[in-house]
Amino acid sequence: MPKRFSTPTDENRLAKWIVDQVTIEAEAQPEKNPVAGALGRMGGKTKAAKPTPAKRKAIARKAAKARWRS
C-alpha cells in the first residue's frame, strides 16, 4: 500500500514544504528555444505584406470555383 501524502501541520514545516514544491516545479520547466523566439519575432513582416483588395477578390473567386466544381 502506498504511503499516504499529507501536508505538514506545523507552520515552519509547511512553509518549507511549499518552497520545496515551488522550486521543484520551477526546475522542471523546459528552457525556451532561442530559434523559436526569433522566428516568432519575424511574423511582423508577413503581416505587413497582406494582399490588396483586388488580390483577395481573385483568391476568393478561385476558391468559390473550386468549391462549386463537382
Side-chain angles (χ1 to χ4, degrees):
M1 189 188 247
K3 290 186 177 183
R4 189 170 200 176
F5 176 76
S6 64
T7 57
T9 54
D10 180 41
E11 294 174 359
N12 292 328
R13 290 183 185 206
L14 178 61
K16 182 189 179 308
W17 180 79
I18 291 172
V19 170
D20 289 343
Q21 294 299 315
V22 170
T23 54
I24 289 171
E25 291 175 6
E27 291 173 359
Q29 293 178 355
E31 293 186 23
K32 293 182 179 180
N33 186 348
V35 175
L39 287 174
R41 286 187 291 276
M42 290 173 55
K45 295 176 186 175
T46 304
K47 265 190 172 178
K50 62 183 177 181
T52 63
K55 182 71 172 171
R56 284 197 310 264
K57 189 173 182 179
I59 293 169
R61 283 181 191 262
K62 183 178 177 182
K65 284 182 183 179
R67 191 177 313 123
W68 290 102
R69 211 177 303 152
S70 297

